[in-house]
Amino acid sequence: MMFKLGALIMHPASKYVLLALALLFPAMAANEYQIYVMATAFIWAIAVYGFNVITGYCGQLNLAHGGFFAIGAYAVALLTADYGWNFWPAFIGALVVTGVLGLLVGAVSLRLKEHYFAIFTLCVGFIIYLLLDKWEELTHGALGVRNIAAPDGFGLVNFRETIPVYYLILFFLVFIIWFTSRIQKSLLGRTFIAIRNGDDLAQSLGINLMRNKILAFVVSTVYAGLAGALYAGMIRFVGPEDGNILHTFNMIMYMLVGGIGTLFGPLLGTVGIVWITQSLQFLEEYRMIIFGPLLVILVIFFPLGIAGSFLTWMHRKAQALGLGSKKPQKESKVKTTAGREAENNA
Amino acid sequence: MLKVEHLTKMFGGLAAVNDVSVEFGANQINAIIGPNGAGKSTFFNLISGVHQPTSGRILLEGKDVTTMRCDHVAKLGVGRTFQTTNLFETATVLDNLIVGYRLRTNSGLWDVLINSKRLQAEEKAAREKAREALDFVGLTYAENRYIADCTQEERKRVAFALALATQPKIVLLDEPAAGVNPEETEGLADLMKKMVKHGLTVCLIEHKMDMIMGIADKIMVLDHGEKIAEGTPEEVKNNPVVIEAYLGSDHDAAA
Amino acid sequence: MTIFLQQVFNGLTLGSIYGLVALGLTLVYGILHIPNFAHGALYMVGAFISYFFMVDIGAHYWVAMAGAAVVVAVLGVVCERLVFHPLRNAPPIHDKIAAIGILLFLEALVHMVWGSDFRRMASPFGGVVNLDGVFLREQGILIIASTVVLVVALNLFLRKTMVGATIIAMAQNREGAFLVGIDANRVAMMTFAISGALAAIAATLYAPLNLVYPAMGHLVIMKAFVIIILGGMGSIPGAIVGGMIIGFAEAFGGYYISTAYKDVIAFALLVVILSIRPQGLFAKGAH
């Protein structure tokens, strides 16, 4: 019974159902605020997808990830408010800036392994925060940036309104999920996962560690920059608090709850936790009293998260039901290419 | 096949491998034995490019690979397994093997974005090579099983298959039979013989002497980073220096 | 010259605090290979416990410090038992995330109990000694003296006692230590206790010069990480030397370069050094 339900969820058509639900959400929402909350959740989800590329697939815990979100947001903010750019050129600018900075930071930080990398990026994240806060000439310091341009609409579409901006963000989210699924299934995604399994083994498989790690890092920072740029376009105000390390910690939680290294985990975790947080508004400042221990419990008992645990359970169930498994064979008859060569040579 | 000349690796002031020269012939099983800490794993790391040697040369089929980076050495046809292989536990055996052929492919991020013909062809090839390797090690039946659900011996075979999926000419196996029972050890020994029969050259580090003596064509003995003997199993077995080294190390362990 | 000496004193004071915090961090790292991101939260909790003992109970400064040391030591042990011990064989990313979970929890808890106000904590050593134009705060002198005493005591403990010897043995060779039958659990708990106590003492020493608030651990922990990377992760002398480097860099940088950016100095230093030497200044290898 449970298995059948699971199979239904795994059915390829369910992602279209999910998309339809997302498209219909503004019609179902009780008020505009709910649409706004959902749009915010989608923005974070985009950033979490980036986190998942570098940390979930490639195995490098990048604690500066929230910093790149803030850089994306500030790039749009400063380019539109201080330099008079339109939104879309500034948007492209934000992707370029986060990509280039990602390349630079990645090239330095990825030479470090495991703990060193995590600590180094923690410090980079903090430098980003301090610079946003202190470099008043550029960032307006603690005051933040106001008067950010909204995304330019076309025809009757005006992205100053909540519903159009919701669809704009949904469009980017769908694109990001699609693109990530392509990466995950491809040889490139498998390369990232091989690196997560271990540097030594990956190297012995002929994988260029640095190049692939940097690639994953840049992809992840561009995702974060994209999310930040959308954030600036929707909220139209940014401040140094957007670069607070807490955002990175939040994203870790979204990713972990949903399922680290899975395709739908980031979406599930982000949307789920954002709504739970909304319904626990009375907790606001203290929500970490629940979420902190939750994080600990998750890594100890359910490190696979919701999506990961579900997929594992489904797979085992399918194996137990005898789907797709064959009888053991003693010895194979097929020869490898090396074998054929050897025989030809003989 | 593989020729090593005066290979030395210093860590700090200590020589982990000291002036080792040896030649491993093609299509043979070559074993490296020696007490713990003799420098066997370091020797493998030097050949596969993980460490750069302090001095000496490494020639692979006459080509100088001494200072070559790990991934380049792998591309030239050096496959490798480790004492413990960390795999993606909650992915299937086949999924874990597909990446093995990655080094023979060229698709990048752009191919992923446009889903290029090249990417599709390469992914198909990688899947085929993974299946071939799986078949070779006799694990086709476990293709869809999670790594987490595999036995110790099956994991060893998966590790072999992963190395084979890179299409190597020579494989370096680090303690392939550690942690499996005698019967399974025999199975793995047969697998190594099969590799040689199919044109591969095998180098292995092993502590299980019965197995080594049974299958090796040539044995090199390392002690404190130095080569103290080499030859056929028969020669090595009767070499007084080797016996002394092993007994000596037993004394050390007891003290 | 006066200004220079003044900055030397300030650097020593800061360096001592950083050194103490980094010492706890490096001990835990050396033995358990956990980068304990929650260490800054332990430091913060230490300050609040002292504050509680002094202001709410009216205990003397020294009593409050001892109380905070004990409470935070126990807290450290609890963290080890409940969180890090179950994760000892997990992938390395897990213990880091768990440490972040502890950090978030402790901060939220303190926030709930004490609120987010900045609090002032008085110490009986509020005076200033004028030494030929160089103003030495009594609290600063206390900090430096206490650090010297603690470092010497810790050193004696590690070198002369059985428990200390086992900690050193485990730091040097974990597998080997298991082989010769060291009770790894006891050593782990002991290490967390020492680490927590040092954090609480450092916090209590520094709080009178600073303020007490829930986010007070953020900067300190990050600087402590910078320090132990500079000094070599797991190295005890490295933590002290690294602490002094950062302390002096901040004191002099803050005066001669810019006060606004003095907090950036430590991180910029780290970025520069790791860009040139990925294995740290004194470390043997980045493993």
Side-chain angles (χ1 to χ4, degrees):
Chain A
M1 181 56 210
M2 287 297 284
F3 179 69
K4 283 203 176 125
L5 190 67
L8 203 63
I9 295 173
M10 299 261 290
H11 194 275
S14 20
K15 52 179 179 286
Y16 297 108
V17 175
L18 203 63
L19 179 62
L21 283 176
L23 286 169
L24 291 174
F25 180 77
M28 298 185 291
N31 51 44
E32 204 175 315
Y33 178 69
Q34 289 190 342
I35 304 172
Y36 177 85
V37 171
M38 198 54 130
T40 320
F42 287 171
I43 287 178
W44 286 115
I46 292 173
V48 176
Y49 271 99
F51 213 159
N52 201 31
V53 169
I54 187 68
T55 305
Y57 298 144
C58 207
Q60 316 294 314
L61 183 60
N62 172 22
L63 293 175
H65 194 69
F68 285 98
F69 176 90
I71 289 172
Y74 263 84
V76 164
L78 297 173
L79 286 174
T80 61
D82 287 0
Y83 297 89
W85 290 30
N86 282 334
F87 179 83
W88 292 110
F91 177 81
I92 302 292
L95 300 187
V96 172
V97 167
T98 43
V100 170
L101 285 176
L103 185 66
L104 291 176
V105 172
V108 175
S109 61
L110 288 164
R111 295 198 294 165
L112 309 167
K113 301 211 186 306
E114 283 179 12
H115 306 319
Y116 285 80
F117 176 78
I119 293 167
F120 185 86
T121 50
L122 182 75
C123 292
V124 170
F126 208 75
I127 291 176
I128 294 173
Y129 170 70
L130 285 175
L131 287 180
L132 295 181
D133 193 40
K134 307 273 190 213
W135 193 357
E136 291 180 0
E137 299 81 358
L138 180 72
T139 66
H140 305 208
L143 291 174
V145 187
R146 287 169 199 288
N147 302 322
I148 300 169
D152 311 300
F154 40 85
L156 291 174
V157 182
N158 179 358
F159 289 123
R160 283 184 166 74
E161 289 165 11
T162 308
I163 292 180
V165 101
Y166 170 85
Y167 283 112
L168 181 72
I169 291 164
L170 179 61
F171 166 78
F172 279 107
L173 176 66
V174 171
F175 172 78
I176 286 293
I177 296 177
W178 171 81
F179 186 52
T180 312
S181 81
R182 292 291 286 277
I183 292 179
Q184 186 183 4
K185 277 184 285 193
S186 73
L187 278 172
L188 188 63
R190 293 178 190 278
T191 310
F192 293 163
I193 291 170
I195 293 174
R196 178 185 68 192
N197 290 342
D199 282 356
D200 293 343
L201 182 62
Q203 278 190 81
S204 79
L205 296 176
I207 291 169
N208 184 331
L209 286 181
M210 248 340 238
R211 191 197 298 162
N212 283 288
K213 282 182 184 176
I214 290 179
L215 184 62
F217 194 86
V218 171
V219 168
S220 82
T221 58
V222 172
Y223 278 28
L226 171 72
L230 290 172
Y231 178 83
M234 183 174 88
I235 311 283
R236 313 222 351 244
F237 166 77
V238 295
E241 282 311 305
D242 293 324
N244 194 313
I245 186 82
L246 274 178
H247 292 305
T248 303
F249 294 165
N250 276 332
M251 284 193 268
I252 290 179
M253 186 162 59
Y254 299 156
M255 182 167 63
L256 223 72
V257 169
I260 188 167
T262 63
L263 184 59
F264 280 92
L267 181 67
L268 219 61
T270 311
V271 173
I273 301 272
V274 166
W275 280 103
I276 290 173
T277 314
Q278 280 297 319
S279 57
L280 296 177
Q281 279 250 312
F282 61 96
L283 277 175
E284 194 46 39
E285 313 246 335
Y286 313 130
R287 66 193 193 313
M288 286 303 173
I289 290 187
I290 295 172
F291 288 141
L294 178 71
L295 215 48
V296 174
I297 290 167
L298 275 170
V299 288
I300 297 178
F301 298 106
F302 309 100
L304 298 172
I306 299 170
S309 304
F310 169 73
L311 289 174
T312 309
W313 183 80
M314 283 298 291
H315 182 89
R316 295 221 162 111
K317 201 80 184 169
Q319 288 279 301
L321 291 173
L323 305 171
S325 71
K326 297 171 200 149
K327 283 265 172 244
Q329 311 165 321
K330 256 296 171 228
E331 184 82 328
S332 67
K333 297 275 177 335
V334 184
K335 292 162 187 142
T336 64
T337 41
R340 271 183 230 122
E341 272 172 30
E343 282 182 6
N344 290 344
N345 293 341
Chain B
M1 181 72 201
L2 181 71
K3 195 172 172 194
V4 170
E5 295 170 351
H6 305 291
L7 196 64
T8 298
K9 176 68 185 176
M10 311 284 288
F11 285 119
L14 290 166
V17 169
N18 195 1
D19 195 29
V20 172
S21 298
V22 72
E23 194 169 349
F24 293 138
N27 240 319
Q28 287 192 336
I29 296 182
N30 304 285
I32 300 162
I33 62 170
N36 281 325
K40 303 186 297 288
S41 289
T42 308
F43 183 72
F44 267 13
N45 282 336
L46 289 170
I47 294 171
S48 60
V50 175
H51 298 317
Q52 298 295 321
T54 311
S55 62
R57 291 212 307 162
I58 304 164
L59 299 167
L60 185 68
E61 293 186 308
K63 193 172 159 63
D64 192 331
V65 298
T66 313
T67 56
M68 218 176 256
R69 229 178 36 213
C70 212
D71 47 315
H72 290 159
V73 176
K75 278 187 190 133
L76 285 178
V78 178
R80 188 168 180 196
T81 68
F82 296 84
Q83 284 176 24
T84 48
T85 309
N86 285 323
L87 294 165
F88 187 0
E89 293 285 321
T90 54
T92 64
V93 169
L94 184 67
D95 271 329
N96 269 285
L97 293 181
I98 290 172
V99 74
Y101 192 64
R102 171 62 172 159
L103 75 174
R104 312 276 173 221
T105 66
N106 299 303
S107 307
L109 192 63
W110 184 248
D111 297 275
V112 173
L113 187 64
I114 62 167
N115 198 18
S116 70
K117 284 244 157 50
R118 174 167 80 169
L119 180 69
Q120 290 176 17
E122 287 181 349
E123 282 177 356
K124 194 155 164 275
R127 192 170 285 268
E128 269 165 26
K129 301 295 177 195
R131 284 228 166 86
E132 270 174 25
L134 206 50
D135 188 55
F136 188 91
V137 300
L139 271 185
T140 304
Y141 68 91
E143 179 181 303
N144 289 318
R145 195 178 286 176
Y146 273 172
I147 296 290
D149 300 335
C150 288
T151 64
Q152 186 65 25
E153 189 241 359
E154 283 168 339
R155 282 162 176 263
K156 294 274 176 192
R157 284 176 184 264
V158 174
F160 278 25
L162 190 53
L164 291 176
T166 65
Q167 312 293 306
K169 294 173 186 144
I170 178 168
V171 283
L172 311 177
L173 310 173
D174 198 343
E175 295 199 33
V180 301
N181 69 35
E183 198 182 317
E184 292 165 342
T185 302
E186 218 164 283
L188 292 174
D190 287 342
L191 191 54
M192 282 176 243
K193 284 186 212 155
K194 186 176 165 190
M195 288 181 194
V196 169
K197 213 192 307 170
H198 284 84
L200 283 166
T201 305
V202 174
C203 273
L204 76 154
I205 293 173
E206 193 47 79
H207 286 294
K208 293 189 174 170
M209 283 307 155
D210 294 348
M211 174 177 135
I212 294 285
M213 295 301 167
I215 62 168
D217 295 301
K218 177 177 189 172
I219 297 176
M220 170 171 83
V221 190
L222 289 182
D223 188 24
H224 297 291
E226 286 176 38
K227 182 176 89 176
I228 56 168
E230 72 172 290
T232 63
E234 213 44 49
E235 290 163 6
V236 166
K237 214 185 294 181
N238 300 321
N239 187 325
V241 184
V242 176
I243 296 164
E244 171 59 27
Y246 269 83
L247 283 176
S249 78
D250 277 351
H251 284 305
D252 284 351
Chain C
M1 190 60 197
T2 319
I3 289 168
F4 179 82
L5 286 177
Q6 183 71 55
Q7 296 316 324
V8 169
F9 177 72
N10 292 349
L12 269 177
T13 314
L14 268 178
S16 299
I17 294 296
Y18 292 159
L20 283 183
V21 179
L23 208 66
L25 200 59
T26 212
L27 273 177
V28 166
Y29 184 83
I31 289 164
L32 302 162
H33 287 243
I34 299 167
N36 187 8
F37 291 117
H39 194 66
L42 294 180
Y43 169 86
M44 179 270 300
V45 169
F48 271 95
I49 300 288
S50 285
Y51 178 87
F52 170 76
F53 278 130
M54 279 182 76
V55 176
D56 295 322
I57 295 185
H60 187 266
Y61 182 69
W62 292 116
V63 178
M65 186 187 288
V70 170
V71 170
V72 178
V74 171
L75 188 60
V77 173
V78 170
C79 288
E80 199 280 327
R81 282 289 93 187
L82 289 185
V83 181
F84 295 114
H85 183 71
L87 284 171
R88 66 200 176 285
N89 296 322
I93 230 171
H94 288 183
D95 46 28
K96 284 181 277 216
I97 293 176
I100 290 171
I102 297 174
L103 152 81
L104 294 173
F105 170 72
L106 288 177
E107 248 173 53
L109 189 70
V110 167
H111 197 166
M112 194 167 86
V113 176
W114 281 287
S116 58
D117 298 343
F118 289 64
R119 288 153 197 270
R120 201 164 276 293
M121 191 169 110
S123 116
F125 308 94
V128 173
V129 182
N130 185 343
L131 207 81
D132 218 14
V134 182
F135 293 97
L136 309 181
R137 284 174 165 172
E138 283 177 12
Q139 187 70 24
I141 298 171
L142 176 71
I143 288 172
I144 297 166
S146 310
T147 304
V148 171
V149 170
L150 281 172
V151 169
V152 169
L154 184 68
N155 225 346
L156 284 177
F157 169 75
L158 290 176
R159 309 254 168 237
K160 303 285 179 204
T161 68
M162 200 51 212
V163 186
T166 53
I167 290 181
I168 298 252
M170 216 171 123
Q172 280 162 353
N173 185 348
R174 265 210 296 186
E175 283 86 36
F178 283 121
L179 290 182
V180 292
I182 285 177
D183 181 354
N185 285 337
R186 231 184 80 188
V187 175
M189 287 194 281
M190 200 67 197
T191 310
F192 263 91
I194 295 172
S195 162
L198 284 174
I201 293 171
T204 312
L205 283 170
Y206 196 41
L209 294 182
N210 218 308
L211 293 163
V212 180
Y213 55 101
M216 65 187 282
H218 290 179
L219 262 179
V220 175
I221 178 70
M222 278 193 250
K223 285 175 190 167
F225 270 123
V226 173
I227 289 162
I228 67 169
I229 287 188
L230 291 184
M233 295 192 35
S235 154
I236 292 172
I240 304 296
V241 174
M244 287 303 163
I245 292 177
I246 297 295
F248 275 84
E250 274 184 22
F252 282 91
Y255 186 82
Y256 290 103
I257 302 171
S258 150
T259 332
Y261 286 110
K262 89 173 156 43
D263 288 332
V264 184
I265 293 170
F267 305 114
L269 206 61
L270 177 83
V271 170
V272 171
I273 288 171
L274 284 186
S275 306
I276 302 164
R277 274 181 67 89
Q279 65 275 43
L281 267 190
F282 311 112
K284 279 174 254 155
H287 286 292

